[in-house]
Amino acid sequence: MAQNRDSILVVGSGVAGLSASMSLARQGYNCILVEKAGSLGGHAAGYTCKAINGKCQKCGACLVDDLLARFGDFPEIQVFLETRIDRIERKKKGFTASLNGKYGLKDINCGAILLATGFKPFDPNEKSNLCFSSIPNMITAVELEAMLRDKELPYRPSDGRQPETIAFVQCVGSRDPKRGHPYCSQVCCGYALRMAGRLRDLAPKTKITFFFMDIQTFGRSFSQRWASLQQDFIWINEIPGDYFVSDGDRVGVSVEVEDEIVDLSFDMMVLSVGMTPTDDQLTYQQMLDLSMSSEGFMLPDEDRGVFVVGSASGPMSIEKSITDAAGSATRVIAYMEGAR
Amino acid sequence: MKYALFLGCTIPARSRNYEMSSRAVAAKLGIEFQDQMDFCCCGFPIKASDEHAATLLAARNLALAEEMNLEICTLCSACTAMLAEVAHKLRYDEGFREEINKDLAAIGRQVKGTARVRHFARILLEDIGVENIHRSVTVDLKGFPVAVHYGCHYLKPSYIYEGGEDPEAARSLDALIAAAGAKSISYIRKKFCCGGSVLVADEKTALGMAKEKLDQVQAAGGRSMVVVCPFCSVMYDDNQKSIESAFNVSYQIPVLYLPQVLGLAMGMDRKTLGLNMNVVKTRKITEDILGAE
Amino acid sequence: MVDSNLQTEDRDVLQDLAERYGVEGVRSCYACGTCAAGCPARRVNPAYNPRKIIRMLVLNEAKSLLEKDTIWLCSSCYTCQERCPQGIKITDLITALRNLAVQQGRSPSGVGMQANLVRSQGRLYALDEFDDKKRKKAGLPSLSPQIEEAVRLLKEES
Amino acid sequence: MNLRTIDKRVMVLGDGETAVRLSKALNTSGLDSYLLWAGGTPPEGIPEGIAVELSARLVALQGQVGDFTATILSSDQFIRKLAGSVMVAFESRTEPVFDVATAPMHEGVATLEDAEAILRGERQISGDVKTVVFLDRLDGASTPASSERQFNAILSFLDRGIKCYAIGCQMKVASRNLELLYGRARDGGCVFFKNDFLSISFTQGRPLIRFEDLILHEEKEICADMVILAENFMPGASLPELREILGVETDKAGFMQADNVLRLPLQTNRRGVFVVGPSRAPVTRWDLDQEIPAAVSQVKELFAWAESFPYEEVISFDIDACARCLTCFRSCPHGAIHFTNRPNFLALACQQCGICTAFCPNEAIELRDMEKDRIKGLIANERKGSDSAPVVVFACEKSGARILNSIPSEDTLLRRIRWIQLPCGGTLRTQYLLDAIGNASEIPERVMVLACHEDNCRSGMGTIKARATVERVKSFLDSVGWNQTKIEFISTASNEAERIRKLLAAS
């Protein structure tokens, strides 16, 4: 039944791209899934499980494995790995996209385009007062994810030692209109709190401090858990100003606490980096004549067959990306039916 | 390479060592300074009480530079920021330019908005280059440990300095110091302000701010400080004794102007560089580097 | 009846600052604390705190802010302004507040003295003969003792 | 391919905007929907072609996806309706957050809902209102959904030239454009205070709020014309009853989707029963805009799946061994066992977790490919000499098995283990563990059960069941003095390969 219809081009194979293409395939549409990396799964494939003492914390990271496990069953989805899109041309009906990658050059026709190009974790070098590149034991939360996933314990880049005191700094690159990020990234409080819980589970003596503005809801049982979280960790409702190397290899900060400026230092510091537009965004905006949302992400042009799904459209959790992907499938199909 | 040298108020009266060493180093590197007797105060000292008046003074200086058809080279960071800020506004804000020109008309001048302002250190780095400076070095400073102090207005507010460097990760002075063969040490609070601007309102706070930095320089093993602004020099050099007695500490850290260090590396003598005018004695440094004269 | 201790102003100073000095967006402060944490003056003297200054403006307490004289403790280093995620021009704001204070006759004596010197001679320090002699000795060119044209410019202005 | 004929009508349950929008979206996408409307007057904006039952209440739901039979009490009459899917789309209930509201309500105190009614012009403000104070939760646990309502109300009040203050503990802005909305409220002149403590009194008939400004560290007080209390989103009033009728799990707060990521986005434990919008969780406008079309996709995908589902049964049932004890009916997490005078297994509802097979006291139920004998064979599967594996692993296909499957076949680790994949940890039977110890050619050093982390079981209770089975066997073995084999229960997830490798290598 699918043969007579145009295919749908899905760009990006993270949670949103995988979910959207499967949703479309299940509803009888052929998809061409293009991924620039060498494997499917996007960012989430690199995240750690955040269960604490055998209890799931609903981070959703393992959902990408679940999606990948089910992904094998779809002949309707044609996958191009290590492939980029050089050009997209609008035709009288649909589009022609020029693919360039592992399988050489190839022009494909499609009836609609779903951009699921995801996000870029905020690069802390952009916020230079963090002195990210000159402080060895300051890492991003993305790096911590990989550490926990691959090594199960945190270690200090400078000497491989396990840190006894760790500080998380929230809102790094989020809620930052000056740098073009006038939004809460929605996921950072969730992943930071969950990873902090996991760290304490793995190494109970670890002392963890949070620098934060407002803790954003994560998960539904937040109201029940907030009280105990306040006892588990040290909470400083401030964002530090200066960041520096202290005592040779520790991370020092100057911060206002109780109406006084103090210097605090930690074995390791984790920056809870937010979600920002990908480097490719501008290319796609130009290729498809798309405008930008007030939060700085791509806006779709659904009347003309271009859809933006998942975190390519703005910060979004794994959970919301899956919902968004399903919702987009409905809109894409409505468009395809209308165009037919 | 010719620039209109803007000395401002403080340097010609109180920091002749800075002026002497700058002129000497500039001459050595083939930089020609055109003096302009009619430059007035940059405007900075009056900005706090009347920003418009300050702006007018800056604009008048810029008008003179435009007439000379030369870029302004500043030595004082406060002058740099004051002039650059107004130059920036004049260049991009037409309404502002018209308004200023109305006032300037009273003295028969006008600005086009083409004036450019750069600090001497930046000219050294950008127009002469680290390589050329290094080539002029004749005396081995043997990696003498120096604590570089950028100060504030040399870098900030960053938006007025087009193509300037990131104030949170400034490298220019470190690069110049390295080119001279000295070693720029790293120390905590390197980005902190000297406190000079607070002196007029609250001496204790101002001295406390300078102390913060001297403490860190001392802790990090800095044997001298290098500055590019007479106000910073006032705080660290002229006031070092006051800080020592007010807070019961002891530093005796010589504070040199950047061109003084460069001049030493280029083989210039103490007199040429005005090193005897620095308040904290610099003799020990020059002996260490040059041997007893 | 006074509605609250939050409303002490008849005039909206924030609007004034925006119109006359172009300092906008003060209300957008969400009090993250970055400004105060990195402030070198605040570290030494807790009486000064850029976040509190913004807070007082947001709470419409400009009057008591100007009375407190703490605005004069800012060293104009721009650290806060460079770092503020909301892009509030904090240092420029302080300058504007200082101008307002001066108009109300409130400023440290040195500030007025500096301004008067500049207004009367076009420079902060008049270069008298004594200076000139010293400059000559150091091989430096002599400069005009004062700049009449600048004096005239500021007279016309005020 | 055999295609089933399934009923593709969608029954939407609701009492407000969500249900109306959802019905329309389903219709636009070519699905028949009808609305069980809780109210007595028909909703506005329902297009022709969507049937609406007024004053309707679901009292029973039988069957499975593509073939549900609903018993409905509609305007005092029982009616039966058929549907292929059921979507719960009630609005949430709101509850003021402060005690002061339940005390004799002062006329200067209103709830956010009251304030919204005033703004819509449905209610009059008494007197001249110049200053209002919004009070949010002070325990830090408010939601983006409630922030959104509060910001919108603030903006409307500001538009009317009313001075606004807002006091709360944590400002929740984790939703699309919410930070920008918060910024507009601030820029528009609303002053926000953060605190977890305040006091309200009434002077000269007006509310007076006292608290500390935590930035200035000064005591502040505001005498307002009106105090507006934020409201918590609570599960809709009909949900507790509906939960029993539908047999679906709820989260801790009672919202009708268990906090289980494997149910995302809108599914429940009962296949074909969906939950959308404020019945599922507190949602912002953006969330709802995502969920409505997502619901359409989800149900269409499910129908397509159901149509192509093969006729063969996956459960085999030995009626002679059945004691009619109802254990299977009670233990099925998916509502897939319908009990008349014997259990009937609903093939389309069954998610093949095998929990019923493990619970059945008479071992009357078998899951295809998981028959006892087959598993016993796998356990006993003899290997010769040094190839004999010292570790036997039972691994759930969602977690442990995914890790084991990802180990390359040349890895020497695999030589040390023999493993059996389970469709769910809950399938584990006591007998399997005993067989692993007793019937193997050589007694293994360790027997490990790798199931999903608690609360991450697709079937809700599989992990708990597996853990209990392991504990029971362990205590039994302790009582008989067997200590030659270490038996462990380990919970894990598919992305914990490193941890599981370490555990396996440690033996």
Side-chain angles (χ1 to χ4, degrees):
Chain A
M1 57 179 175
Q3 278 71 12
N4 300 328
R5 291 184 183 137
D6 285 334
S7 294
I8 295 151
L9 174 64
V10 179
V11 189
S13 76
V15 168
L18 284 176
S19 307
S21 41
M22 282 199 269
S23 184
L24 288 165
R26 285 197 203 104
Q27 295 177 66
Y29 282 81
N30 284 333
C31 295
I32 296 160
L33 180 59
V34 175
E35 168 59 53
K36 67 178 177 187
S39 56
L40 302 172
H43 289 291
Y47 295 161
T48 181
C49 172
K50 299 172 189 75
I52 298 173
N53 193 20
K55 278 203 141 188
C56 173
Q57 298 299 305
K58 328 286 181 195
C59 74
C62 60
L63 284 179
V64 72
D65 297 291
D66 207 53
L67 290 170
L68 289 169
R70 281 184 279 146
F71 190 73
D73 311 338
F74 292 96
E76 295 92 341
I77 307 173
Q78 203 185 347
V79 179
F80 291 88
L81 287 176
E82 284 176 48
T83 300
R84 288 177 167 278
I85 294 172
D86 281 348
R87 248 185 345 275
I88 298 176
E89 237 181 278
R90 278 181 197 276
K91 298 277 171 193
K92 218 185 270 168
K93 196 169 157 279
F95 306 82
T96 301
S98 307
L99 310 187
N100 180 358
K102 197 167 149 184
Y103 313 97
L105 300 172
K106 188 178 163 69
D107 281 0
I108 57 109
N109 294 318
C110 59
I113 297 176
L114 242 93
L115 296 169
T117 46
F119 68 97
K120 184 175 90 168
F122 176 74
D123 174 3
N125 288 306
E126 273 180 50
K127 190 173 170 173
S128 48
N129 70 313
L130 296 166
C131 300
F132 182 68
S133 53
S134 58
I135 302 179
N137 291 320
M138 183 188 269
I139 63 169
T140 68
V142 181
E143 291 172 291
L144 182 64
E145 291 264 10
M147 252 182 214
L148 291 181
R149 184 179 167 120
D150 300 337
K151 295 277 177 283
E152 256 219 282
L153 279 173
Y155 56 88
R156 306 202 314 164
S158 69
D159 57 6
R161 238 171 17 88
Q162 212 176 305
E164 284 166 21
T165 53
I166 301 176
F168 282 82
V169 182
Q170 299 304 109
C171 296
V172 175
S174 304
R175 307 187 75 178
D176 193 341
K178 187 151 83 183
R179 286 182 187 78
H181 309 309
Y183 49 80
C184 161
S185 288
Q186 303 185 26
V187 296
C188 324
C189 285
Y191 71 57
L193 277 166
R194 289 179 174 105
M195 282 201 282
R198 175 94 167 179
L199 287 172
R200 254 177 61 108
D201 191 35
L202 296 169
K205 278 188 193 149
T206 315
K207 257 174 76 178
I208 298 174
T209 303
F210 275 90
F211 295 103
F212 74 108
M213 277 196 261
D214 302 286
I215 285 301
Q216 302 300 328
T217 313
F218 70 103
R220 302 200 215 173
S221 44
F222 178 76
S223 49
Q224 285 97 335
R225 292 194 46 211
W226 180 227
S228 73
L229 282 167
Q230 278 174 295
Q231 299 190 341
D232 290 348
F233 309 121
I234 299 158
W235 293 91
I236 300 179
N237 198 348
E238 298 286 343
I239 300 297
D242 285 284
Y243 300 78
F244 46 86
V245 178
S246 154
D247 310 324
D249 57 2
R250 287 162 66 83
V251 187
V253 294
S254 298
V255 64
E256 191 174 46
V257 181
E258 305 282 335
D259 214 11
E260 202 180 320
I261 302 270
V262 292
D263 289 347
L264 301 174
S265 73
F266 307 90
D267 289 342
M268 189 160 108
M269 177 166 282
V270 182
L271 305 177
S272 295
V273 288
M275 298 166 103
T276 66
T278 60
D279 297 334
D280 297 339
Q281 174 167 312
L282 205 60
T283 315
Y284 287 110
Q285 270 181 255
Q286 284 165 355
M287 258 189 226
L288 291 161
D289 192 22
L290 304 177
S291 36
M292 207 168 73
S293 74
S294 41
E295 292 183 336
F297 289 80
M298 279 186 287
L299 277 180
D301 186 358
E302 300 194 352
D303 294 340
R304 297 171 72 208
V306 182
F307 298 79
V308 181
V309 57
S311 55
S313 71
M316 218 182 269
S317 64
I318 291 172
E319 170 182 346
K320 294 238 192 305
S321 293
I322 293 173
T323 314
D324 195 41
S328 303
T330 297
R331 292 197 295 271
V332 171
I333 290 169
Y335 171 80
M336 296 290 281
E337 300 287 321
R340 207 149 50 120
Chain B
M1 258 177 280
K2 196 169 169 185
Y3 306 88
L5 182 65
F6 188 91
L7 290 168
C9 307
T10 308
I11 291 169
R14 296 172 127 197
S15 305
R16 287 186 303 278
N17 48 352
Y18 190 13
E19 185 179 344
M20 289 157 72
S21 54
S22 298
R23 286 182 190 271
V25 166
K28 175 94 180 182
L29 293 170
I31 294 173
E32 194 184 329
F33 283 146
Q34 169 94 46
D35 284 295
Q36 165 59 278
M37 306 284 284
D38 281 341
F39 276 145
C40 61
C41 166
C42 68
F44 184 77
I46 201 172
K47 192 179 178 188
S49 33
D50 185 345
E51 191 169 1
H52 184 66
T55 305
L56 285 181
L57 291 180
R60 177 187 170 273
N61 289 321
L62 295 171
L64 289 178
E66 283 179 4
E67 285 163 23
M68 294 163 79
N69 208 13
L70 286 176
E71 179 177 359
I72 289 177
C73 170
T74 47
L75 297 178
C76 166
S77 300
C79 298
T80 315
M82 187 70 223
L83 297 175
E85 184 184 345
V86 175
H88 182 88
K89 280 192 205 157
L90 289 172
R91 196 172 314 148
Y92 295 107
D93 186 342
E94 210 172 309
F96 175 78
R97 192 163 65 228
E98 277 169 22
E99 209 175 289
I100 294 300
N101 274 331
K102 260 183 232 158
D103 283 327
L104 286 182
I107 53 163
R109 296 199 189 268
Q110 63 153 334
V111 276
K112 299 195 287 283
T114 54
R116 287 194 67 198
V117 182
R118 267 187 302 166
H119 191 282
F120 183 44
R122 205 155 288 289
I123 287 171
L124 287 176
L125 191 81
E126 291 167 2
D127 295 3
I128 304 295
V130 169
E131 285 296 308
N132 285 325
I133 291 167
H134 190 65
R135 230 171 277 146
S136 329
V137 168
T138 54
V139 174
D140 185 2
L141 297 189
K142 300 177 193 120
F144 188 76
V146 164
V148 167
H149 168 76
Y150 281 86
C152 307
H153 298 171
Y154 172 66
L155 303 163
K156 297 179 279 189
S158 55
Y159 78 93
I160 64 170
Y161 296 122
E162 284 161 80
E165 60 188 328
D166 182 348
E168 302 283 2
R171 294 288 316 145
S172 58
L173 300 186
D174 299 79
L176 290 168
I177 284 299
K183 180 180 182 291
S184 168
I185 61 157
S186 62
Y187 62 103
I188 296 175
R189 312 223 206 295
K190 188 171 174 180
K191 294 178 228 169
F192 267 44
C193 170
C194 68
S197 304
V198 191
L199 211 47
V200 66
D202 185 281
E203 189 177 318
K204 186 142 191 268
T205 303
L207 296 183
M209 287 171 73
K211 173 187 177 288
E212 272 290 317
K213 190 139 195 164
L214 286 165
D215 283 347
Q216 297 298 341
V217 170
Q218 190 174 44
R223 285 172 55 200
S224 71
M225 277 180 82
V226 168
V227 297
V228 291
C229 171
F231 284 105
C232 304
S233 174
V234 164
M235 292 310 292
Y236 297 124
D237 195 20
D238 300 42
N239 285 335
Q240 197 175 114
K241 263 228 148 61
S242 317
I243 295 166
E244 285 175 327
S245 60
F247 298 95
N248 196 22
V249 284
S250 167
Y251 304 114
Q252 284 160 46
I253 297 171
V255 181
L256 277 67
Y257 285 105
L258 175 75
Q260 292 184 307
V261 179
L262 297 179
L264 281 173
M266 291 170 187
M268 296 174 192
D269 60 22
R270 289 179 54 85
K271 200 165 163 250
T272 310
L273 298 171
L275 276 164
N276 49 334
M277 294 181 213
N278 293 39
V279 176
V280 180
K281 297 294 166 234
T282 57
R283 178 73 63 183
K284 179 84 171 60
I285 293 182
T286 41
E287 274 172 12
D288 282 354
I289 295 169
L290 309 170
E293 272 176 55
Chain C
M1 155 185 189
V2 178
D3 262 0
S4 75
N5 62 1
L6 291 170
Q7 293 167 311
T8 53
E9 304 293 305
D10 325 322
R11 200 164 54 113
D12 193 339
V13 175
L14 284 181
Q15 210 172 327
D16 215 30
L17 289 169
E19 280 165 15
R20 290 174 57 195
Y21 295 95
V23 185
E24 288 167 341
V26 177
R27 286 191 194 281
S28 64
C29 172
Y30 48 30
C32 67
T34 308
C35 56
C39 174
R42 191 248 169 278
R43 172 181 283 273
V44 174
N45 187 346
Y48 179 73
N49 187 327
R51 173 160 56 170
K52 286 189 179 177
I53 288 174
I54 290 174
R55 189 66 180 167
M56 290 178 79
L57 289 173
V58 170
L59 297 183
N60 229 359
E61 295 174 6
K63 199 169 153 223
S64 53
L65 173 63
L66 294 178
E67 278 164 8
K68 276 184 185 167
D69 290 344
T70 49
I71 49 168
W72 297 97
L73 294 169
C74 167
S75 72
S76 307
C77 74
Y78 289 99
T79 306
C80 53
Q81 178 160 328
E82 292 284 332
R83 289 180 184 168
C84 174
Q86 292 287 2
I88 301 174
K89 291 191 167 172
I90 307 174
T91 313
D92 294 349
L93 171 74
I94 305 278
T95 302
L97 287 171
R98 285 175 174 181
N99 280 204
L100 287 178
V102 168
Q103 284 162 28
Q104 294 173 14
R106 301 195 65 93
S107 68
S109 56
V111 172
M113 276 151 58
Q114 282 193 357
N116 288 340
L117 285 171
V118 173
R119 283 183 188 282
S120 64
Q121 51 199 29
R123 354 168 123 262
L124 196 51
Y125 309 106
L127 291 167
D128 55 17
E129 270 173 52
F130 179 67
D131 287 303
D132 211 36
K133 214 177 257 174
K134 283 211 255 179
R135 289 183 61 78
K136 265 205 188 102
K137 211 174 138 203
L140 300 171
S142 50
L143 299 169
S144 315
Q146 47 186 359
I147 315 291
E148 295 303 338
E149 190 185 288
V151 176
R152 201 145 44 85
L153 177 64
L154 295 192
K155 270 212 184 98
E156 296 285 331
E157 185 256 346
S158 47
Chain D
M1 196 198 305
N2 272 328
L3 283 187
R4 247 172 220 261
T5 317
I6 61 160
D7 189 336
K8 288 193 187 174
R9 280 172 296 184
V10 182
M11 183 170 83
V12 176
L13 279 59
D15 57 357
E17 185 202 350
T18 310
V20 172
R21 283 182 63 187
L22 183 59
S23 304
K24 281 203 261 185
L26 288 162
N27 265 48
T28 311
S29 302
L31 287 167
D32 266 350
S33 74
Y34 60 89
L35 190 52
L36 291 199
W37 188 251
T41 48
E44 276 173 45
I46 275 284
E48 299 254 327
I50 300 179
V52 182
E53 294 293 337
L54 295 179
S55 306
R57 192 157 65 86
L58 186 74
V59 287
L61 183 75
Q62 284 175 334
Q64 58 186 330
V65 54
D67 183 22
F68 282 115
T69 305
T71 310
I72 296 155
L73 186 60
S74 175
S75 309
D76 293 334
Q77 289 211 312
F78 282 101
I79 53 171
R80 286 180 76 200
K81 281 263 186 191
L82 303 179
S85 169
V86 175
M87 291 194 172
V88 181
F90 286 99
E91 303 307 314
S92 46
R93 207 154 43 82
T94 52
E95 191 183 83
V97 296
F98 287 97
D99 289 348
V100 64
T102 55
M105 191 69 146
H106 188 274
E107 61 172 9
V109 178
T111 64
L112 191 53
E113 210 164 80
D114 296 336
E116 286 164 345
I118 291 168
L119 289 167
R120 285 193 303 268
E122 293 164 12
R123 254 200 232 186
Q124 295 302 308
I125 311 182
S126 53
D128 189 15
V129 174
K130 290 201 183 87
T131 304
V132 299
V133 176
F134 288 80
L135 298 186
D136 202 353
R137 283 179 74 141
L138 298 182
D139 63 356
S142 73
T143 61
S146 66
S147 299
E148 184 180 44
R149 282 180 64 202
Q150 196 184 66
F151 295 154
N152 281 321
I154 287 170
L155 287 169
S156 303
F157 275 107
L158 289 172
D159 269 353
R160 295 167 184 222
I162 294 168
K163 180 83 200 150
C164 294
Y165 298 96
I167 307 171
C169 180
Q170 308 277 340
M171 190 52 64
K172 306 288 181 176
V173 288
S175 190
R176 176 79 41 101
N177 288 331
L178 209 46
E179 177 83 44
L180 292 166
L181 202 61
Y182 174 38
R184 277 174 56 204
R186 286 198 315 269
D187 293 347
C190 178
V191 181
F192 286 84
F193 296 93
K194 263 200 235 177
N195 207 320
D196 56 8
F197 181 78
L198 56 80
S199 75
I200 308 180
S201 57
F202 296 92
T203 56
Q204 299 170 22
R206 301 171 76 202
L208 178 74
I209 297 124
R210 284 205 181 84
F211 57 95
E212 188 189 340
D213 178 75
L214 294 181
I215 298 165
L216 295 177
H217 298 285
E218 282 170 13
E219 196 71 25
K220 296 289 171 198
E221 57 180 54
I222 308 169
C223 193
D225 301 305
M226 192 156 87
V227 169
I228 296 170
L229 299 173
E231 288 165 313
N232 289 331
F233 288 94
M234 311 291 287
S238 48
L239 292 195
E241 190 190 72
L242 203 54
R243 159 205 177 143
E244 300 300 323
I245 292 164
L246 293 172
V248 299
E249 293 165 10
T250 57
D251 73 0
K252 278 184 189 147
F255 285 100
M256 206 183 262
Q257 192 184 33
D259 196 3
N260 182 333
V261 292
L262 293 163
R263 305 273 157 78
L264 294 175
L266 309 166
Q267 295 160 32
T268 64
N269 50 306
R270 197 165 171 190
R271 191 177 267 151
V273 176
F274 294 91
V275 55
V276 184
S279 296
R280 194 185 67 78
V283 293
T284 60
R285 301 296 305 176
W286 172 59
D287 294 327
L288 195 59
D289 290 346
Q290 281 185 312
E291 286 185 22
I292 285 171
V296 174
S297 259
Q298 292 249 298
V299 73
K300 284 171 77 181
E301 289 171 44
L302 182 62
F303 286 158
W305 170 84
E307 272 182 317
S308 60
F309 187 80
Y311 277 100
E312 48 201 297
E313 299 287 343
V314 291
I315 295 283
S316 61
F317 168 62
D318 179 356
I319 193 159
D320 296 332
C322 176
R324 274 76 165 171
C325 67
L326 295 169
T327 303
C328 57
F329 170 74
R330 283 196 304 261
S331 64
C332 176
H334 304 293
I337 301 176
H338 172 56
F339 209 91
T340 45
N341 54 351
R342 54 155 278 183
N344 303 284
F345 298 91
L346 307 175
L348 291 176
C350 175
Q351 301 196 14
Q352 297 165 41
C353 66
I355 286 176
C356 56
T357 68
F359 267 119
C360 177
N362 280 3
E363 299 190 358
I365 316 170
E366 292 272 30
L367 182 63
R368 194 181 61 197
D369 296 337
M370 285 301 295
E371 294 85 0
K372 282 187 293 287
D373 293 341
R374 189 169 162 269
I375 302 295
K376 282 183 177 195
L378 287 173
I379 296 167
N381 178 19
E382 264 187 67
R383 298 203 190 178
K384 300 284 174 244
S386 62
D387 260 2
S388 169
V391 184
V392 177
V393 182
F394 295 93
C396 169
E397 69 169 38
K398 289 269 175 202
S399 50
R402 273 193 192 139
I403 294 171
L404 293 167
N405 271 320
S406 71
I407 299 178
S409 54
E410 64 272 16
D411 196 317
T412 52
L413 193 63
L414 284 181
R415 264 189 251 147
R416 302 174 35 79
I417 60 175
R418 182 180 318 156
W419 63 282
I420 293 129
Q421 180 168 322
L422 306 176
C424 172
T427 330
L428 186 75
R429 300 189 198 200
T430 310
Q431 191 62 45
Y432 297 164
L433 294 176
L434 296 176
D435 281 354
I437 298 163
N439 292 356
S441 59
E442 242 171 74
I443 294 166
E445 291 166 20
R446 293 168 87 191
V447 173
M448 291 166 72
V449 176
L450 299 180
C452 296
H453 288 303
E454 202 178 318
D455 294 347
N456 195 27
C457 172
R458 181 192 45 157
S459 300
M461 58 191 299
T463 295
I464 299 162
K465 165 91 180 93
R467 189 200 299 270
T469 305
V470 170
E471 290 308 320
R472 196 166 52 245
V473 170
K474 269 166 74 174
S475 70
F476 166 72
L477 292 176
D478 276 349
S479 69
V480 299
W482 180 280
N483 57 6
Q484 279 160 285
T485 303
K486 194 174 164 199
I487 301 188
E488 296 156 276
F489 174 86
I490 292 149
S491 75
T492 187
S494 51
N495 50 3
E496 288 195 295
E498 199 49 42
R499 180 171 151 247
I500 296 306
R501 283 188 63 95
K502 265 191 218 160
L503 284 170
L504 288 170
S507 49

